[in-house]
């Protein structure tokens, strides 16, 4: 009996009562007519040995004191209205069905992509959406008169033209490289803004994911293997095509296309009849960019890649209008059950 009481004392000491309901059931359990304390006192009466009675009586009284103290210390819960418990509730009634929300398709694809790169050692870094000209353009080797600096493409802040809404997430990489030394393996994602006409295919705000790897002896082969690994993990065994391209911050620059084929009507439409869909840009980091962030291009080299999440989501879920992502139409959003996530 002594051991039982000691155990109960311990339980009570560490037990925390969170709300009125907890307190109510605690009282019933320990102080109720058929409660623990009453039953212990009944057993106590049956003890004959005076010595035992004295010893157990003392500890049993302590237990009673602990119980009363616990209730006293938690009286505040009783007064506060943090739960709406109505003890007249019929708890045998079946509960109300909970309406789960769903996860936005852009978030689902974002998480999928980040996970793939995370698995091969890319750490997630977030950045800011309001940038200055240097981080968004100059440090990334954009010529002063590069067309994307143009008012038509970039949203500048009226008062002061040196601040803008970032046009790509590459600015996150610049900020990171300025503060850190190689080896660097980062991935970032977020909203980017471009002053484009809104249509089924493009929007003035969309989401990008960009990755950067800088270290000694990083070669073109590392970039190629990285891209192949990514496509395989996201789409399975789809054929890819690597085309030369141009970005100010990479040299050489490439664009990656995925073969969708021409069998489905929407694939023909999405690929403008070629069967190939462009899904990402990439390349070896231009030595000028490394110099701009005080990394020696004679020692280090790197590759970078970037993709639009909407573009991948359209492909993944076969959605034919990019504007659906921002329309908040429940009939659309509910199809992306969080269980498929
Ligand atoms: N920043 C480029 C864009 O917005 C994407 C890109 C990133 C291309 C890294 C090459 C390397 O289109």
């Amino acid at each position: 009996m002594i051991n039982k009481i000691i155990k109960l004392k311990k339980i009570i000491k560490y037990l925390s009562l969170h709300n009125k309901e907890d307190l109510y059931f605690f009282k019933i359990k320990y102080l109720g007519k058929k409660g623990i304390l009453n039953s212990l006192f009944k057993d106590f009466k049956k003890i004959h040995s005076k010595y035992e009675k004295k010893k157990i009586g003392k500890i049993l009284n302590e237990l009673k004191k602990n119980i009363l103290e616990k209730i006293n210390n938690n009286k505040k819960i009783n007064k506060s209205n943090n739960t709406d418990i109505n003890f007249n509730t019929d708890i045998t009634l079946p509960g109300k069905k909970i309406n789960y929300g769903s996860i936005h398709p852009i978030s689902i694809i974002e998480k999928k992509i980040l996970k793939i790169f995370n698995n091969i050692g890319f750490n997630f870094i977030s950045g800011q959406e309001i940038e200055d000209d240097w981080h968004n353009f100059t440090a990334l080797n954009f010529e002063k008169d590069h067309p994307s600096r143009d008012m038509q493409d970039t949203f500048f802040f009226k008062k002061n033209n040196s601040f803008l809404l970032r046009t790509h997430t590459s600015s996150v990489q610049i900020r990171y490289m300025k503060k850190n030394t190689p080896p660097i393996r980062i991935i970032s994602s977020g909203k980017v803004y471009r002053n484009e006409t809104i249509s089924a295919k493009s929007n003035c705000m969309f989401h990008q994911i960009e990755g950067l790897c800088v270290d000694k002896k990083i070669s073109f082969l590392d970039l190629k293997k990285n891209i192949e690994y990514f496509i395989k993990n996201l789409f399975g065994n789809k054929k890819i095509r690597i085309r030369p391209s141009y970005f100010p911050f990479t040299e050489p620059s490439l664009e990656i296309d995925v073969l969708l084929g021409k069998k489905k009507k929407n694939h023909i439409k999405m690929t403008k009849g070629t069967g190939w869909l462009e899904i990402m840009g990439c390349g070896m980091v231009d030595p000028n960019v490394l110099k701009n962030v005080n990394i020696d291009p004679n020692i280090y080299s790197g590759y970078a890649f970037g993709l639009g999440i909407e573009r991948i989501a359209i492909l993944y879920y076969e959605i034919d209008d990019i504007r659906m992502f921002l329309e908040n139409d429940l009939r659309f959003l509910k199809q992306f059950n969080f269980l498929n996530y």
Side-chain angles (χ1 to χ4, degrees):
M1 191 171 172
I2 278 211
N3 284 343
K4 194 175 167 187
I5 298 172
I6 291 174
K7 215 170 159 189
L8 281 167
K9 273 173 66 112
K10 250 192 203 158
I11 291 174
I12 288 167
K13 188 170 169 197
Y14 294 110
L15 183 80
S16 43
L17 305 174
H18 300 289
N19 49 38
K20 272 165 132 184
E21 195 182 22
D22 285 355
L23 185 64
Y24 174 79
F25 287 113
F26 178 82
K27 275 186 192 168
I28 293 182
K29 186 172 174 184
Y30 287 94
L31 297 183
K33 244 187 185 176
K34 290 179 185 168
I36 291 175
L37 205 61
N38 260 349
S39 103
L40 283 171
F41 272 108
K42 265 184 204 157
D43 292 344
F44 176 71
K45 272 185 195 156
K46 291 177 201 154
I47 299 170
H48 295 301
S49 140
K50 253 193 181 175
Y51 171 74
E52 283 278 291
K53 253 199 156 155
K54 200 172 163 194
K55 210 164 100 184
I56 295 179
K58 189 173 164 233
I59 187 160
L60 192 54
N61 274 328
E62 274 172 25
L63 177 71
K64 188 176 173 183
K65 211 172 119 195
N66 293 161
I67 293 170
L68 293 173
E69 268 168 12
K70 191 93 200 173
I71 293 171
N72 235 351
N73 292 342
N74 285 286
K75 262 196 176 143
K76 268 195 197 140
I77 301 184
N78 211 5
K79 279 184 195 145
S80 71
N81 269 337
N82 57 352
T83 48
D84 283 322
I85 294 153
N86 175 2
F87 293 112
N88 297 323
T89 305
D90 179 357
I91 57 168
T92 61
L93 282 174
K96 273 188 197 150
K97 199 172 159 235
I98 296 171
N99 269 331
Y100 290 111
S102 55
I103 295 180
H104 196 282
I106 295 297
S107 304
I108 299 176
I109 298 295
E110 181 193 28
K111 295 266 153 45
K112 266 192 208 294
I113 297 174
L114 292 181
K115 202 171 160 202
I116 292 172
F117 285 110
N118 211 290
N119 284 345
I120 51 167
F122 282 81
N123 285 327
F124 179 76
I125 307 291
S126 67
Q128 57 204 59
E129 287 173 32
I130 296 177
E131 268 300 356
D132 54 34
D133 180 276
W134 193 81
H135 289 91
N136 196 81
F137 292 128
T138 309
L140 284 155
N141 205 29
F142 278 77
E143 292 290 326
K144 270 267 166 287
D145 51 1
H146 193 280
S148 57
R149 288 189 184 220
D150 206 306
M151 280 290 199
Q152 269 119 44
D153 271 312
T154 309
F155 288 110
F156 288 94
F157 284 86
K158 254 193 184 159
K159 252 190 183 169
N160 182 343
N161 260 2
S162 60
F163 285 106
L164 48 91
L165 290 175
R166 66 178 177 195
T167 58
H168 51 185
T169 41
S170 306
S171 50
V172 181
Q173 307 175 351
I174 294 298
R175 287 191 181 274
Y176 189 84
M177 284 194 284
K178 252 172 61 184
K179 284 197 191 131
N180 297 276
T181 49
I184 291 171
R185 253 165 193 264
I186 54 163
I187 188 115
S188 51
S189 104
K191 294 187 176 84
V192 298
Y193 302 83
R194 288 182 200 175
N195 198 353
E196 287 185 27
T197 316
I198 298 172
S199 71
K201 280 194 150 181
S202 59
N203 213 330
C204 54
M205 185 281 288
F206 58 98
H207 298 77
Q208 256 192 353
I209 290 189
E210 287 205 23
L212 170 77
C213 170
V214 180
D215 203 349
K216 283 176 187 159
K217 292 187 183 148
I218 294 291
S219 73
F220 190 78
L221 187 63
D222 294 307
L223 168 62
K224 186 169 173 264
K225 288 284 156 205
N226 177 61
I227 300 298
E228 281 172 356
Y229 157 84
F230 165 64
I231 305 279
K232 198 169 177 193
N233 273 274
L234 193 66
F235 296 115
N237 281 327
K238 275 214 161 36
K239 239 190 180 169
I240 61 168
R241 176 170 88 172
I242 300 178
R243 277 186 297 113
S245 182
Y246 172 76
F247 299 104
F249 36 89
T250 46
E251 181 59 37
S253 302
L254 314 163
E255 227 140 338
I256 312 291
D257 299 342
V258 170
L259 181 63
L260 297 186
K262 298 181 194 174
K263 279 185 194 143
K264 287 185 182 171
K265 239 187 181 177
N266 72 326
H267 284 174
I268 297 176
K269 209 172 128 197
M270 273 165 98
T271 62
K272 291 182 192 146
T274 64
W276 291 95
L277 185 77
E278 173 204 320
I279 58 153
M280 68 196 290
C282 58
M284 301 305 289
V285 181
D286 193 295
N288 284 339
V289 175
L290 295 178
K291 268 187 226 158
N292 288 340
V293 289
N294 295 325
I295 292 177
D296 187 348
N298 295 318
I299 304 174
Y300 296 104
S301 54
Y303 63 81
F305 53 90
L307 50 91
I309 304 182
E310 275 79 353
R311 191 156 261 249
I312 306 272
I314 283 179
L315 181 61
Y316 206 87
Y317 293 118
E318 308 207 333
I319 296 163
D320 50 19
D321 192 329
I322 205 169
R323 289 169 292 196
M324 289 305 292
F325 292 127
L326 289 178
E327 249 155 42
N328 275 339
D329 184 337
L330 283 183
R331 289 166 305 175
F332 171 72
L333 294 174
K334 271 190 172 168
Q335 296 175 57
F336 304 94
N337 192 314
F338 83 107
L339 292 174
N340 299 331
Y341 174 54

